[in-house]
Amino acid sequence: MHDTGKPSPTATTSPTIPPSKMTATPQSPAGLDPQAPTDDEDETDVIGDLMGHYGKWQLLMTVLLSLFQVPNTFHISSSIYQAANKDFWCQRPEELQQLPVDVWRNLTGSLDNCHRWEGIDWSQVGNGTAMPTEWKKPPDGDRQLVACEKWEYETHDNVGNTWTSEWDLVCDKEHLKNVAEMFFLLGVATGGILSGYLSDKFGRKKMLFISAVLQTLFGLWLYICSSFELYLTLRALLGLVSVSVTYSGLILAIEYVDGKWRTLAGMYNLFPLPISYMIISGLAYLTQDYQRLQLCIGVPGIFLCLLWFVVPESPRWLLVKGRLDEVRRIIEAAAKFNGRQLPPDYQLTPPTQESSSQDVTYLFRSSYLRRISICFFCIWFTMNLVYYGIILNMSSFGGNVYLNSALAGLVEIPAIAVAMYIITKVGKKWLFCATFICTGVACCCAAITEGQPEMLWLKITFLMISKFTISAGNTIMPVYTAELYPTPIRNVGVGACNAAAGLALILTPYLSLLNKIEGHLLMSLLTAWSIFGGVVVLFLPETAVRSKAMTNQGGANAHNAHANASAAKQV
């Protein structure tokens, strides 16, 4: 039976991948032979034998749970549109409201639109009055540049009202846009530390719906929030609960099935993400207002919360907790829905729960573990930095941000499908390395075309190629990580990797500042990190090509390890 062993808490922080099916048999890491990755065979349990390993009931439940990834994706990508840059200038005096903006900008004497000349009597000038030549420069000792107190913004830019125009996040306040996004991702990193433990302790369903209710409340509160300080706090709380929605929902979907079907259940949780990227780009284009967009992405959570009355608790978690009556009710309902006959005298026995004391120090107790741990820390950091560096900076790449974001979501669908197919046919090492290298080459080509307006179409093409390849790498990474870590410390290893991913997420919002230093710097940095990630992969061992999907040997513990790896890619 694969539901043996107490579920161990793990962390989740980051994009998207279907789970493999590897679990943990309680044992001491000291007794491992850590020189080769494990290769578990397909294994099923009594719950799957009774209600069916995969049938109409499991299909319905996993599809319903995948819908929870839609608002998660909305919230993490909303800043692309809500924090978009806008053209701005110092506010014109009341007497000059009809003065052309170009004339007014020249009159203020400021190149950065953050300052204006002091000491000018604006009442001398009407909307139709030409600007006196002597006002172009201040008379000696009479005037000086002072900071503007208020600004006006371009209204016909296909961007609409954003954080920038709502709270005047320009000039010396421009960095606060990055702070707002960093607060969300900091919440994601923090929530990843807590969500695994809480999901194990209180149950997958309970944590999923508590987090979903809070996510909806915080999302709708952001719609009516007028204080920027409160907005920052709500963004952090939103990130914290969003990762819990991802973790609990994915674990629940995986624990409804067993054996080779866990990959399919993970893929159902994976595909809504690129579709959601396309949907939110359309919503942002139609609303062109950060508040209306926030309302649109907050409302779906209300309907998802109603699934409380449809989605049951994980029967495998309930079995581990010894709640046999609830397990029987779920098995009987699922078996009936699947058209299966249950034996009249079937027995359910709670598995023996063994304690484990593994901690992060086990990751460095042999040369093999030290090697793969250091490599995976670098890889997870690099993957998240490059993946989100592309996604969250769509507005700074040029062209139509709505079309670019929709295309970026579209190319991810075949990338996921192709990667999931290929990794069952060939080893993962060289394919994983190739995704990094190809991403680096595409980013390098995009950097070369930077600053050439006539080659914008070519730059966007290379960006879409890089998005395709890095998305394929994202699909492989959690599966590869779970394979290479020995079973008893898989949760610990993946949790440590998530910490590295969280650090990358926190840094990602600040990548956009690189373009202000030098136009080629952002894409050059993504190129360098991608090549670095590809080189690091070469130091990892290859895994066996399997004729069967990877499965588990230790129940809820392994479900957690594998789903934790996948959940890290969904928020």
Side-chain angles (χ1 to χ4, degrees), residues 37-74:
T38 59
D39 189 14
D40 306 328
E41 292 297 323
D42 260 339
E43 194 171 297
T44 59
D45 66 359
V46 66
I47 292 178
D49 293 337
L50 289 170
M51 67 182 188
H53 304 298
Y54 196 88
K56 293 183 293 182
W57 185 85
Q58 287 91 342
L59 174 63
L60 176 62
M61 292 302 145
T62 51
V63 169
L64 290 177
L65 287 171
S66 73
L67 299 179
F68 284 92
Q69 306 306 332
V70 174
N72 285 348
T73 308
F74 284 167

Side-chain angles (χ1 to χ4, degrees), residues 48-267:
D49 293 337
L50 289 170
M51 67 182 188
H53 304 298
Y54 196 88
K56 293 183 293 182
W57 185 85
Q58 287 91 342
L59 174 63
L60 176 62
M61 292 302 145
T62 51
V63 169
L64 290 177
L65 287 171
S66 73
L67 299 179
F68 284 92
Q69 306 306 332
V70 174
N72 285 348
T73 308
F74 284 167
H75 288 304
I76 196 169
S77 59
S78 63
S79 63
I80 299 173
Y81 317 100
Q82 293 178 324
N85 294 322
K86 291 182 67 67
D87 196 14
F88 65 94
W89 52 88
C90 294
Q91 186 180 52
R92 290 168 289 183
E94 186 176 349
E95 301 88 349
L96 302 178
Q97 284 300 306
Q98 301 304 317
L99 191 69
V101 172
D102 291 341
V103 175
W104 166 250
R105 281 174 161 171
N106 196 16
L107 182 59
T108 59
S110 174
L111 297 177
D112 59 5
N113 295 311
C114 295
H115 301 83
R116 60 175 176 80
W117 291 123
E118 185 183 41
I120 296 179
D121 183 4
W122 304 113
S123 62
Q124 299 178 26
V125 186
N127 288 312
T129 304
M131 180 184 63
T133 304
E134 64 271 15
W135 286 4
K136 294 181 180 178
K137 297 180 182 179
D140 295 341
D142 287 349
R143 302 178 213 140
Q144 60 180 356
L145 283 173
V146 295
C148 301
E149 297 178 354
K150 295 183 178 180
W151 289 264
E152 297 174 358
Y153 300 89
E154 178 61 59
T155 56
H156 303 290
D157 55 1
N158 271 343
V159 174
N161 187 32
T162 67
W163 299 346
T164 302
S165 53
E166 180 70 16
W167 290 295
D168 287 336
L169 302 185
V170 295
C171 301
D172 59 341
K173 292 184 179 180
E174 186 175 9
H175 70 283
L176 293 178
K177 290 187 292 185
N178 296 320
V179 171
E181 181 57 15
M182 185 271 289
F183 265 59
F184 177 86
L185 297 173
L186 182 62
V188 169
T190 305
I193 299 173
L194 302 175
S195 58
Y197 170 77
L198 296 175
S199 180
D200 286 342
K201 184 173 179 63
F202 298 108
R204 285 69 162 111
K205 176 181 177 180
K206 184 177 294 185
M207 285 308 304
L208 170 63
F209 283 94
I210 289 176
S211 300
V213 169
L214 291 176
Q215 182 187 59
T216 303
L217 290 176
F218 293 147
L220 294 176
W221 195 351
L222 285 169
Y223 166 65
I224 61 175
C225 179
S226 59
S227 166
F228 185 68
E229 290 75 15
L230 178 59
Y231 200 91
L232 291 179
T233 303
L234 291 174
R235 289 280 295 174
L237 294 174
L238 183 64
L240 189 148
V241 297
S242 291
V243 72
S244 184
V245 171
T246 292
Y247 183 91
S248 302
L250 185 61
I251 287 284
L252 193 54
I254 292 172
E255 292 185 355
Y256 283 154
V257 302
D258 66 355
K260 62 182 180 181
W261 297 106
R262 292 194 193 100
T263 294
L264 184 59
M267 290 178 68

Side-chain angles (χ1 to χ4, degrees), residues 424-491:
T424 64
K425 304 297 181 182
V426 301
K428 298 175 182 62
K429 175 179 177 178
W430 294 104
L431 179 61
F432 192 29
C433 175
T435 61
F436 272 117
I437 299 299
C438 291
T439 300
V441 172
C443 287
C444 181
C445 293
I448 293 173
T449 62
E450 185 71 49
Q452 304 178 51
E454 70 281 1
M455 300 187 71
L456 178 61
W457 66 273
L458 188 58
K459 174 185 174 183
I460 299 302
T461 300
F462 286 128
L463 282 172
M464 294 305 114
I465 294 173
S466 66
K467 181 60 166 55
F468 178 92
T469 53
I470 201 66
S471 297
N474 260 333
T475 307
I476 299 168
M477 181 175 70
V479 179
Y480 194 22
T481 305
E483 279 193 46
L484 290 189
Y485 273 116
T487 304
I489 59 170
R490 190 169 294 134
N491 284 340

